[in-house]
Amino acid sequence: MRPPLLSRHYIRLYQSLGGESQLTSLQQLADLLHCTRRHMRNLLAQMQAVGWIDWQGNSGRAARSCLRFLCSVEDLQRAQASSLLQQGRIAQAMSMLNDRQSMSA
């Protein structure tokens, strides 16, 4: 999956859960992102691989899994803007930062 799309999923998940660690189920997270459980599992694995979350999945009907956010949305967006600047994509970095400022206003 492209990193910008993965980051959009992360931001949506982070904002939906208020950035707090949660005891939750895979189905509840899939419902938040309007996707299947299988796709949600893949998204969580990708987010964990890049170091944005810690996911401790538990199987079983009543078992709850632990989701812990390791990166705030602001930190993620700063890192993405920095990466764009290093690549010489200044216009995209400025656009990202301007979009972020307009969302927080």
Side-chain angles (χ1 to χ4, degrees):
M1 177 173 292
R2 297 186 338 244
L5 186 55
L6 184 62
S7 65
R8 276 190 241 138
H9 287 306
Y10 177 79
I11 290 168
R12 208 157 129 206
L13 191 62
Y14 186 94
Q15 290 173 339
S16 294
L17 299 175
E20 299 291 324
S21 295
Q22 300 278 325
L23 288 177
T24 186
S25 70
L26 192 60
Q27 186 62 54
Q28 288 172 326
L29 297 177
D31 290 344
L32 285 174
L33 296 185
H34 308 289
C35 65
T36 64
R37 289 170 42 111
R38 181 178 179 182
H39 186 61
M40 189 70 228
R41 189 177 298 116
N42 290 334
L43 290 173
L44 291 170
Q46 291 173 22
M47 290 176 196
Q48 190 163 10
V50 294
W52 297 344
I53 64 167
D54 179 37
W55 171 252
Q56 300 297 320
N58 290 323
S59 60
R61 183 173 289 231
R64 303 304 253 175
S65 300
C66 182
L67 173 65
R68 192 167 57 107
F69 294 98
L70 304 176
C71 178
S72 71
V73 170
E74 294 80 19
D75 291 340
L76 175 65
Q77 290 173 331
R78 270 191 293 260
Q80 288 176 331
S82 176
S83 176
L84 288 170
L85 288 173
Q86 289 175 353
Q87 296 171 16
R89 296 162 57 185
I90 297 168
Q92 285 179 314
M94 294 303 293
S95 175
M96 176 188 287
L97 293 173
N98 288 337
D99 289 346
R100 190 178 110 211
Q101 288 174 352
S102 69
M103 284 193 297
S104 62

